[in-house]
Amino acid sequence: MNDSELIERLGRTRPTITPSVTLEQRVAQLARTKSATLARPVSGLPLIHKLGLGLAGAAIALMGGLIAAFGPRLSYANTLSRAAEQLRRVPIVHATTYRVGANGAESLISDAYYGKSQTKLTYQNEVWLWQKENGKDVLYAQLPSKGTWRDRHPAITQTPQERLSIFASLGKAIYFKESFRLFPAGNGEILVEGPDAARRCLVHLEPHDRVTLLETQVWDKGAWHPALRTRLEVGESTPTLFAPPQAAQEYKGENLLWTSYDNQVKALTKQAREAWERQDHPRLLGITDQWLAVAEAQQVRSGYGLRLADAWLYRTAALRSLGQLNEARNALAHAKRNQPTGEEVISIFQEEADLLPRK
Amino acid sequence: MTRRYPITLPWSRSTTQRLTPEALSARYLTVVLRYAAARLGAGPEAEDVATEVFVAAYAAWHRCPTPAPDSSEHDPVRAWLFGIARNKVADVLRRRQRRPEFPLLESTLAAPFELGVLEEEEAQQLATLLASLPDDQREALRLKYIEELSLVEIGLILHRSPAAVGTLLHRARLAARERGRTYFEEKTR
């Protein structure tokens, strides 16, 4: 069989077949359906338009993802920002700060009252009073060591920053100089977390972003516990003392929302954190409470079988944190006399440095 | 060196209009059915394959090439449809292999046509001859001499260049000639 014969034979086998009516109808129906689909506007768009729609869809999806990821945080940041603005603009009539004990009991630390002609700050056993007298701001102070009104100073000698500094150091509230993260806590509350993982702040907002409660919480025994609580009352009265209120915006060049609580609580939280890290003396965590601190230190030795020098060191730290420096020095002397180990000697040196009189 | 065959790119401009779905089926249903019937034998199976070809074509409508001008001997639309049909036929043949009650050989020149006794015998001999060839050679022979496609169109279906298709056809003819001689000599002894 040569090529031409093969080709001829193949050609003869070409089937002569026509589609059945059923097949024609079936395929025609398919064609009509396809035509109807093609008649839809979107399907008829040019490729470039489809690409544009695709890109727009992707952009919308991306934006949606970003909003979902950061939206709540931005929203709360904005809310807190407005709340901070309220604190600056709306005069605070009354600010009360408490230390919260392990059993939830509150002990008063400070009480600040802004009046139209008088501002009074009570801090532990100290009372500070600013008032107008003969058109001048005059400061009165009563210190517990003296037992009486100590003196009468013309407040004019103090700059607004100095007055604010006094109030800030004693008022104990929230200090936002560090970067912080915001989380919704429900019930109109916002949690603020900073670089210190063992400390956070809860801000309670009333309607119109009015801040009514600031609560500092510390991480203790696997849970957050309130350590400091400041209740704020705002009013319409405009204080004549400490005016203008927006001076609070800047304090030593740092952004200050209200006042600082850092200095006063630092020693106690540090001690609590150190004890928590040790884990072998969990009861020492209660040392943050000033009614319990000395008792805790005294019971350390019998309760936990510590070395005597170590027990005196704990007592030293507790007394120092309470501001009872002479008693703390006496306790430190006991620690020195009770054969301290090398590690304890290091702690003794540290305590000695902390207890040095400051000029 | 310039190519002698046209290349149709999806985004290339063309002076010819795209086919409508109705025009596609009206123009190509018969040739698609004939291709299927040539491979599978006329009957419901070939008609089902033809239907499936158009279903797939409409589903991939954006890939349907623009028809060549009437003066052109190459028809990219037909080649595109035959490519789909080839896959559909292969699916049917694979199903047949899984079901032994069907004959394993393709019904290359099957019975639907009104053939005489001699013609039927000749067709059977040819079918046996084609079955002995490699798949690509058999397919090239069919597309060229039964469906009368151009080398360009066959190349589009078999994913080869026209030159490669020409070589393939040459080898297929040589093989058919050799095996046909052997076959016929054995038959005539």
Side-chain angles (χ1 to χ4, degrees):
Chain A
M1 186 168 59
N2 57 28
D3 282 357
S4 59
E5 191 179 0
L6 173 67
I7 294 167
E8 184 189 347
R9 284 192 182 191
L10 284 169
R12 282 207 302 270
T13 59
R14 181 182 306 116
T16 52
I17 186 172
T18 54
S20 66
V21 175
T22 307
L23 176 62
E24 281 185 336
Q25 289 176 344
R26 201 187 308 161
V27 175
Q29 179 61 40
L30 286 172
R32 281 195 296 274
T33 305
K34 185 62 185 178
S35 287
T37 307
L38 292 175
R40 292 177 191 166
V42 174
S43 301
L45 283 176
L47 180 64
I48 189 68
H49 287 183
K50 288 182 180 177
L51 284 174
L53 285 175
L55 287 174
I60 290 170
L62 179 64
M63 287 297 295
L66 289 174
I67 289 170
F70 297 105
R73 192 168 298 179
L74 290 174
S75 171
Y76 279 96
N78 186 41
T79 303
L80 196 68
S81 171
R82 282 187 275 119
E85 197 65 22
Q86 290 270 356
L87 279 177
R88 293 186 185 114
R89 291 181 183 278
V90 178
I92 294 170
V93 175
H94 201 179
T96 316
T97 301
Y98 303 86
R99 179 174 291 122
V100 184
N103 57 357
E106 294 178 343
S107 58
L108 182 67
I109 296 176
S110 68
D111 183 283
Y113 172 75
Y114 279 113
K116 281 197 173 184
S117 60
Q118 188 182 70
T119 294
K120 183 180 179 184
L121 171 65
T122 303
Y123 171 64
Q124 293 185 345
N125 296 322
E126 299 179 6
V127 180
W128 303 71
L129 179 71
W130 291 263
Q131 68 178 20
K132 288 277 188 187
E133 287 186 5
N134 300 323
K136 292 183 179 180
D137 294 345
V138 179
L139 167 67
Y140 294 92
Q142 184 182 38
L143 299 179
S145 58
K146 302 291 182 184
T148 56
W149 292 99
R150 189 185 68 171
D151 207 346
R152 171 177 170 159
H153 300 284
I156 197 69
T157 60
Q158 294 179 322
T159 65
Q161 281 74 19
E162 285 170 336
R163 281 181 284 174
L164 184 66
S165 171
I166 293 171
F167 190 83
S169 63
L170 301 181
K172 308 181 193 314
I174 304 305
Y175 191 42
F176 283 123
K177 71 174 181 179
E178 296 159 327
S179 63
F180 55 89
R181 300 182 299 274
L182 301 168
F183 301 95
N187 300 324
E189 293 176 338
I190 295 174
L191 282 172
V192 184
E193 291 184 355
D196 186 350
R199 177 164 63 86
R200 69 181 188 182
C201 177
L202 184 143
V203 182
H204 184 83
L205 299 172
E206 293 292 328
H208 308 296
D209 301 327
R210 176 177 291 182
V211 178
T212 56
L213 179 72
L214 301 170
E215 184 177 280
T216 301
Q217 300 177 342
V218 293
W219 180 258
D220 183 10
K221 299 177 183 175
W224 290 102
H225 299 281
L228 288 171
R229 192 174 287 152
T230 298
R231 293 192 175 88
L232 303 170
E233 295 174 30
V234 295
E236 298 303 322
S237 64
T238 303
T240 54
L241 294 171
F242 288 108
Q246 56 265 31
Q249 290 178 14
E250 291 293 326
Y251 169 54
K252 290 184 179 177
E254 292 165 335
N255 185 18
L256 187 67
L257 175 62
W258 171 226
T259 56
S260 169
Y261 90 112
D262 234 15
N263 293 334
Q264 302 298 321
V265 83
K266 188 176 286 182
L268 294 174
T269 52
K270 179 185 174 188
Q271 206 164 35
R273 197 179 315 128
E274 285 173 352
W276 179 72
E277 287 168 355
R278 292 172 70 99
Q279 291 292 321
D280 51 346
H281 310 303
R283 282 195 65 193
L284 291 178
L285 295 173
I287 212 165
T288 54
D289 191 303
Q290 69 171 334
W291 290 306
L292 295 177
V294 174
E296 288 273 357
Q298 289 170 339
Q299 292 172 7
V300 160
R301 185 189 174 203
S302 58
Y304 295 94
L306 290 180
R307 289 172 44 78
L308 208 54
D310 211 4
W312 280 115
L313 272 172
Y314 277 115
R315 181 172 184 178
T316 303
L319 292 168
R320 176 177 49 77
S321 67
L322 293 174
Q324 300 175 28
L325 301 185
N326 286 331
E327 289 84 347
R329 291 188 188 104
N330 288 335
L332 187 61
H334 283 286
K336 286 180 182 177
R337 284 196 294 268
N338 280 282
Q339 299 174 337
T341 63
E343 190 176 334
E344 289 163 347
V345 168
I346 295 174
S347 298
I348 287 170
F349 288 158
Q350 182 63 46
E351 286 292 343
E352 277 184 329
D354 292 339
L355 288 169
L356 281 176
R358 298 188 178 176
K359 295 179 180 177
Chain B
M1 179 179 174
T2 55
R3 292 178 184 272
R4 288 176 297 166
Y5 52 94
I7 297 178
T8 307
L9 300 174
W11 53 84
S12 63
R13 291 177 176 229
S14 174
T15 55
T16 55
Q17 294 275 334
R18 286 192 65 177
L19 289 173
T20 62
E22 288 87 351
L24 183 81
S25 59
R27 190 181 297 184
Y28 295 103
L29 176 59
T30 302
V31 293
V32 169
L33 177 65
R34 191 175 66 199
Y35 174 83
R39 302 286 304 273
L40 303 170
E45 214 166 27
E47 294 206 340
D48 286 347
V49 165
T51 306
E52 287 177 20
V53 168
F54 281 93
V55 169
Y58 292 141
W61 185 248
H62 58 285
R63 294 183 185 169
C64 180
T66 306
D70 293 339
S71 58
S72 173
E73 59 176 312
H74 313 300
D75 187 347
V77 179
R78 182 171 60 170
W80 180 60
L81 288 173
F82 273 38
I84 299 172
R86 185 166 176 255
N87 291 331
K88 298 297 178 188
V89 167
D91 291 343
V92 172
L93 293 176
R94 274 195 293 271
R95 282 200 296 270
R96 282 186 182 179
Q97 282 189 325
R98 288 195 291 268
R99 289 184 296 174
E101 63 268 23
F102 286 89
L104 290 180
L105 284 178
E106 300 173 32
S107 305
T108 310
L109 306 167
F113 321 109
E114 297 297 330
L115 298 174
V117 176
L118 289 177
E119 288 172 324
E120 193 172 341
E121 184 181 357
E122 183 182 296
Q124 190 58 44
Q125 291 170 355
L126 193 58
T128 306
L129 175 66
L130 289 176
S132 68
L133 296 177
D135 288 346
D136 54 349
Q137 293 183 7
R138 182 170 63 244
E139 186 68 6
L141 286 175
R142 279 198 198 101
L143 292 172
K144 179 63 183 172
Y145 301 114
I146 298 178
E147 303 299 336
E148 296 181 322
L149 268 58
S150 68
L151 297 187
V152 172
E153 291 169 317
I154 297 171
L156 290 173
I157 296 169
L158 300 181
H159 306 292
R160 295 178 186 226
S161 68
V165 172
T167 305
L168 182 67
L169 279 171
H170 176 69
R171 289 177 180 166
R173 286 193 300 266
L174 282 177
R177 193 189 312 160
E178 180 63 28
R179 294 180 191 190
R181 182 169 58 233
T182 307
Y183 176 79
F184 288 115
E185 284 175 357
E186 287 176 354
K187 292 289 284 184
T188 52
R189 276 178 191 170

